[in-house]
Amino acid sequence: MSENGSLRRGRPGYDQQGILDVAIAAFNEYGYDATSMGVLAERLGLSKSAIYHHFASKDEILDRALDTALSALERVVDETDAAGSRAADRLDRVLRGAVHVLVDQLPSVTLLLRVRGNTEVERRALGRRRAFDKRVTALVAEAQAEGTLRSDIDVRIVERLLFGMINSIVEWYRPGGEEDADRLADDVIAIALDGLRMPTSNRVEQLLG
Amino acid sequence: MSENGSLRRGRPGYDQQGILDVAIAAFNEYGYDATSMGVLAERLGLSKSAIYHHFASKDEILDRALDTALSALERVVDETDAAGSRAADRLDRVLRGAVHVLVDQLPSVTLLLRVRGNTEVERRALGRRRAFDKRVTALVAEAQAEGTLRSDIDVRIVERLLFGMINSIVEWYRPGGEEDADRLADDVIAIALDGLRMPTSNRVEQLLG
């Protein structure tokens, strides 16, 4: 008998993660405010008290859901910081890592991107998102200073446009589609760092000059 | 006395466009479903029947609001089609034009980007958005075929990532900020078409090779 109860007969059991997954899907479908604990209990086929056995409140479920996405994104920057190579290479790794987090944690990142700061839990999540953005912006600034990235665009605008592109993937990406995360990360890097335009000899001279 | 009534004394009058602007702001703030005609009337300081004098229904207000954004975007592609230059140059103009539409029509584009297809009006708007996306995708394909854009990325992915970047501007752009639309359009083109990375001589050889 497997530990997660997949061979258990009758009504499927839910561990904490299982409840979390169903809750995130419901929040994304109906909105957090419109999803009551009663609605959640119904979707899970559990009593409300069975949910309260795992989570103190709906707010705590949201907190855990947002933490899943934020921790994964923060880990990407932490690990890259430790790599210690050129800033442009570290940025390359952060962008690739972010695409992977987005694909692997699609539901919780989708939820994170919809947070508007209506509750204390949401405001804390927005604070962590801003801190993440700041670290990426600092990396862009470092790469501009070392001369590996063009320096004629404001670093904050660069960061916003890069993550605008990456975050938009949640709008259309569906698991099991044609593009896997590695391929999608390659595409993002190709556009963002190398550009779509084939260089003319003029352009190459201009860049080298 | 000016025609739009700006010199009229007492309670400000609203023409159709004035009602539309207030309605779009309310839809963006509270959501379309949560904004009743009663709420709109209160915000305008008008009776509901005064609004019905201009619009047959809330649905018609939404229709007009979405048409503002969609018509502006469609005009960008129409005008570029007529230009008849290389596909890569036309794409450049479409991307710049889209950034301008977004900045000039920020509230109605914001509303358009939130449409999920819950009503007939919304589904029609989504259909026009898809038609727009298809025309841009065809332009990317043409530019790949003429050899001016790199052809190792699926054209649909290119279109989605480009407009993911451009559309994300609604999340943070505020009129009167440091970046005007021309500068922002330059930034988008710089990243999307030329890329952020300064070329190494290796990279240049590889591109020229």
Side-chain angles (χ1 to χ4, degrees):
Chain A
M1 179 120 175
S2 76
E3 209 176 20
N4 66 12
S6 60
L7 295 179
R8 210 183 293 158
R9 284 157 200 272
R11 171 183 292 177
Y14 286 103
D15 56 9
Q16 208 179 34
Q17 186 61 48
I19 293 174
L20 200 55
D21 291 342
V22 172
I24 293 172
F27 294 162
N28 282 331
E29 189 172 344
Y30 307 116
Y32 175 71
D33 291 333
T35 309
S36 66
M37 285 297 254
V39 168
L40 274 187
E42 205 172 304
R43 271 183 89 130
L44 288 157
L46 295 176
S47 65
K48 282 204 255 183
S49 66
I51 304 181
Y52 285 121
H53 176 72
H54 291 287
F55 296 97
S57 64
K58 199 175 82 162
D59 234 30
E60 192 188 320
I61 301 181
L62 180 64
D63 199 21
R64 278 284 306 277
L66 297 175
D67 180 64
T68 303
L70 286 162
S71 296
L73 287 169
E74 287 161 357
R75 212 172 306 127
V76 165
V77 187
D78 289 343
E79 286 169 4
T80 316
D81 274 353
S85 49
R86 290 188 319 164
D89 297 333
R90 272 180 282 141
L91 181 64
D92 179 310
R93 286 177 61 176
V94 166
L95 299 180
R96 284 180 199 276
V99 172
H100 275 274
V101 167
L102 200 142
V103 166
D104 294 343
Q105 311 281 350
L106 194 63
S108 62
V109 176
T110 302
L111 190 63
L112 175 65
L113 294 177
R114 294 185 186 166
V115 159
R116 289 292 169 264
N118 298 327
T119 63
E120 184 51 38
V121 164
E122 291 195 4
R123 282 187 287 277
R124 232 179 15 242
L126 284 183
R128 284 173 71 181
R129 239 189 105 181
R130 273 193 299 272
F132 172 84
D133 288 339
K134 272 195 173 173
R135 290 173 72 185
V136 178
T137 305
L139 196 49
V140 173
E142 207 188 321
Q144 287 191 351
E146 77 185 7
T148 47
L149 285 200
R150 61 189 296 159
S151 56
D152 56 345
I153 313 179
D154 183 289
V155 289
R156 286 161 310 172
I157 304 283
V158 169
E159 198 273 342
R160 282 167 173 162
L161 291 175
L162 289 178
F163 273 86
M165 177 160 65
I166 291 173
N167 291 337
S168 73
I169 294 171
V170 304
E171 302 289 334
W172 55 267
Y173 186 82
R174 293 298 164 265
E178 284 174 42
E179 302 260 320
D180 64 12
D182 281 329
R183 179 67 202 268
L184 202 47
D186 284 344
D187 294 346
V188 166
I189 294 296
I191 296 178
L193 299 190
D194 298 323
L196 286 168
R197 188 141 49 195
M198 294 299 283
T200 58
S201 52
N202 271 356
R203 167 87 188 132
V204 169
E205 276 161 29
Q206 179 194 334
L207 285 168
L208 287 177
Chain B
M1 179 115 174
S2 75
E3 208 176 21
N4 66 12
S6 62
L7 294 178
R8 209 181 295 159
R9 283 159 203 272
R11 173 184 291 177
Y14 285 102
D15 57 7
Q16 206 179 36
Q17 186 61 48
I19 293 174
L20 199 56
D21 291 343
V22 172
I24 292 172
F27 294 161
N28 282 331
E29 189 173 344
Y30 306 116
Y32 176 70
D33 291 332
T35 309
S36 66
M37 285 297 251
V39 167
L40 272 187
E42 205 173 304
R43 272 182 89 129
L44 288 157
L46 296 175
S47 65
K48 281 203 257 182
S49 65
I51 304 181
Y52 284 121
H53 176 71
H54 292 286
F55 297 97
S57 63
K58 199 175 80 161
D59 235 29
E60 191 188 320
I61 302 181
L62 180 64
D63 200 19
R64 279 284 306 276
L66 297 175
D67 179 64
T68 305
L70 286 163
S71 296
L73 286 170
E74 286 160 358
R75 213 171 305 127
V76 165
V77 187
D78 289 343
E79 286 168 5
T80 316
D81 274 353
S85 50
R86 289 189 318 163
D89 297 334
R90 273 180 282 141
L91 181 65
D92 179 309
R93 286 177 61 176
V94 166
L95 300 181
R96 284 180 199 277
V99 172
H100 276 273
V101 167
L102 200 141
V103 165
D104 295 342
Q105 312 281 351
L106 194 63
S108 63
V109 176
T110 302
L111 190 63
L112 175 65
L113 294 176
R114 292 186 187 164
V115 159
R116 288 292 168 267
N118 298 327
T119 64
E120 185 51 37
V121 165
E122 291 195 3
R123 281 188 288 277
R124 230 175 19 240
L126 284 184
R128 284 173 72 182
R129 240 189 104 181
R130 272 193 300 271
F132 172 84
D133 287 340
K134 271 197 175 172
R135 291 173 71 185
V136 179
T137 305
L139 196 49
V140 172
E142 207 187 320
Q144 286 191 352
E146 78 186 6
T148 48
L149 284 200
R150 58 190 297 160
S151 56
D152 56 346
I153 313 179
D154 183 287
V155 289
R156 287 161 310 173
I157 304 282
V158 169
E159 199 273 342
R160 283 168 173 162
L161 292 176
L162 289 179
F163 274 85
M165 178 159 66
I166 291 173
N167 292 338
S168 74
I169 294 172
V170 304
E171 301 289 334
W172 55 268
Y173 185 82
R174 292 300 164 264
E178 285 173 41
E179 303 258 323
D180 65 12
D182 281 330
R183 179 66 202 269
L184 203 48
D186 284 344
D187 294 346
V188 166
I189 295 296
I191 295 178
L193 298 192
D194 299 322
L196 287 168
R197 188 144 46 198
M198 295 297 285
T200 59
S201 51
N202 269 355
R203 167 88 189 131
V204 170
E205 278 162 27
Q206 179 194 334
L207 285 167
L208 287 176

